[in-house]
Amino acid sequence: MPGSEATTTLLLLRHGETALTAQRRLSGSGGSDPVLSETGRRQAAAAGESLAKRDAVHAVVSSPLRRCRETAAAAARGLGLEVRIDERLREADFGVWEGLTFTEVRERYPDELAAWLRSPTAVPGGTGEPLASVAHRVESWRDELLARHAGQTVLIVSHVAPLRTLVRLALGAPPASLFRMELSAASVSEVAYDGSGIASLRSLNDTSHLR
């Protein structure tokens, strides 16, 4: 962010719960695109109320998938902002693993799962999207966002893989770190970039607004 000395803050909001979230099933961009459950709608509303009490938020950007658009709409209402959609914030495609639990994937596709956990270039579910591809699109989006919103606070509503990737990039951590982060439904994490582009993780998986 050449010429900018102000801090740019990214608020990372995971979408609220869906029926698949509650069952801990993989739900990517290649699946059924579920809507929020009743619990998820309450979570989205609670997140919106909490965010409205913060210092100014200048923009809201969301994944195009319905669970994120619904969550973002609830948050944006309290902020008085419109939601901008960006395809690069969509969840990974998990191929034939879509809708399965990790236990079911481990039982049916043990070698493929082991390869995916080991390497970011491995293709999940035979036809899905490697985590390296997720990182590439998320990183290019982040760079554009930092240039466009230098010195501002932006709410990002997305999914586990893109949000974990934003945290990983901020920390300069290896790809394997993605599997060592917990991001609960409707949780908020915060990453800040100073004027020289140095990132710091301020919070991770904050769910205090849901209690």
Side-chain angles (χ1 to χ4, degrees), residues 1-11 54-59 142-155 190-198 202:
M1 296 181 292
S4 172
E5 295 302 323
T7 296
T8 304
T9 302
L10 310 184
L11 301 175
R54 293 182 57 101
D55 293 336
V57 176
H58 301 90
R142 180 208 60 182
D143 292 346
E144 290 179 16
L145 183 85
L146 292 177
R148 181 174 183 174
H149 292 284
Q152 296 185 334
T153 296
V154 182
L155 174 64
E190 183 174 340
V191 173
Y193 285 82
D194 68 15
S196 61
I198 303 300
R202 291 181 170 175

Side-chain angles (χ1 to χ4, degrees), residues 32-181:
S32 59
D33 195 12
V35 298
L36 295 180
S37 63
E38 182 177 344
T39 296
R41 289 191 293 272
R42 289 198 301 268
Q43 291 173 333
E49 291 173 5
S50 176
L51 289 164
K53 298 174 184 176
R54 293 182 57 101
D55 293 336
V57 176
H58 301 90
V60 180
V61 191
S62 172
S63 157
L65 299 184
R66 289 189 292 179
R67 54 197 183 272
C68 284
R69 287 190 282 114
E70 291 180 359
T71 303
R77 276 194 295 272
L79 297 170
L81 296 170
E82 295 185 358
V83 178
R84 189 167 77 245
I85 302 297
D86 198 298
E87 288 284 339
R88 290 170 290 183
L89 291 175
R90 69 187 183 279
E91 181 60 287
D93 183 342
F94 297 112
V96 296
W97 297 355
E98 293 276 355
L100 301 180
T101 65
F102 263 93
T103 298
E104 290 169 339
V105 173
R106 187 175 291 110
E107 291 171 349
R108 301 179 195 183
Y109 308 96
D111 294 339
E112 291 89 339
L113 178 61
W116 185 66
L117 293 173
R118 186 172 58 248
S119 171
T121 61
V123 178
T127 59
E129 181 184 16
L131 291 173
S133 174
V134 175
H136 177 74
R137 60 177 163 86
V138 169
E139 186 170 16
S140 69
W141 170 84
R142 180 208 60 182
D143 292 346
E144 290 179 16
L145 183 85
L146 292 177
R148 181 174 183 174
H149 292 284
Q152 296 185 334
T153 296
V154 182
L155 174 64
I156 295 114
V157 186
S158 189
H159 312 263
V160 167
L163 296 181
R164 284 179 176 173
T165 297
L166 286 167
V167 173
R168 180 183 75 78
L169 292 171
L171 294 174
S177 65
L178 292 179
F179 302 109
R180 297 179 181 273
M181 301 179 201

